Amino acid sequence: TEDDLEELGRLLDARASKGSRAMIVEKGETEEEWLRIFDTFFSIYDEMEKEDELHFDITHLFRSHSVLAFVIGELGGIFKDVRVKGLYYGMFTKGKASPIVDMSMFFELLDWAKAVRNLK
């Protein structure tokens, strides 16, 4: 519930430097849901300032949410000069503890791809 998320946000803030927020996100089964998820993710930037760092923890979301978080991260870099320093995702492994991986290196790979394109 939203009340549970407020408490979780307070707990996260106690461990982070500032601005932690937990939010409820839809499954993303329709285009309308995806647009609402986009708005929810992108609203994070309303609270950020230039050169802030963003860490996305989407550990318990569906795979498609990681793609959307990646796109939102790139747009935030363009519009707000905010860099995603962590994009954490849990890789479901049936019957075992799921490893959590940091996919933020993909932003660096994308920067390299853009640099090569500009060079060409």
Side-chain angles (χ1 to χ4, degrees):
T1 68
E2 292 291 335
D3 291 338
D4 294 329
L5 293 182
E6 285 182 33
E7 178 62 22
L8 178 58
R10 283 191 290 277
L11 292 169
L12 291 170
D13 266 344
R15 291 185 166 248
S17 59
K18 69 172 185 165
S20 297
R21 190 169 92 186
M23 58 187 77
I24 294 173
V25 179
E26 297 178 68
K27 289 182 180 179
E29 295 176 337
T30 66
E31 186 173 330
E32 291 79 21
E33 285 183 358
W34 279 114
L35 292 172
R36 285 193 296 270
I37 296 166
F38 179 91
D39 288 342
T40 299
F41 279 5
F42 203 74
S43 72
I44 293 167
Y45 292 109
D46 293 340
E47 302 169 20
M48 300 187 81
E49 297 181 21
K50 185 176 181 174
E51 297 182 13
D52 277 350
E53 294 179 359
L54 177 62
H55 293 260
F56 265 118
D57 183 348
I58 54 171
T59 302
H60 300 291
L61 292 175
F62 299 107
R63 288 182 185 113
S64 50
H65 289 78
S66 62
V67 174
L68 184 59
F70 184 77
V71 171
I72 295 294
E74 184 62 18
L75 287 172
I78 294 167
F79 291 118
K80 283 284 238 180
D81 198 20
V82 170
R83 187 83 180 147
V84 175
K85 289 294 191 171
L87 178 56
Y88 309 104
Y89 179 69
M91 299 177 68
F92 181 72
T93 307
K94 190 173 181 176
K96 295 191 239 177
S98 299
I100 296 174
V101 297
D102 182 358
M103 300 181 345
S104 61
M105 67 158 295
F106 294 154
F107 291 104
E108 188 173 336
L109 292 173
L110 184 59
D111 286 344
W112 276 97
K114 289 186 285 188
V116 169
R117 181 179 54 213
N118 289 337
L119 187 63
K120 285 176 79 176

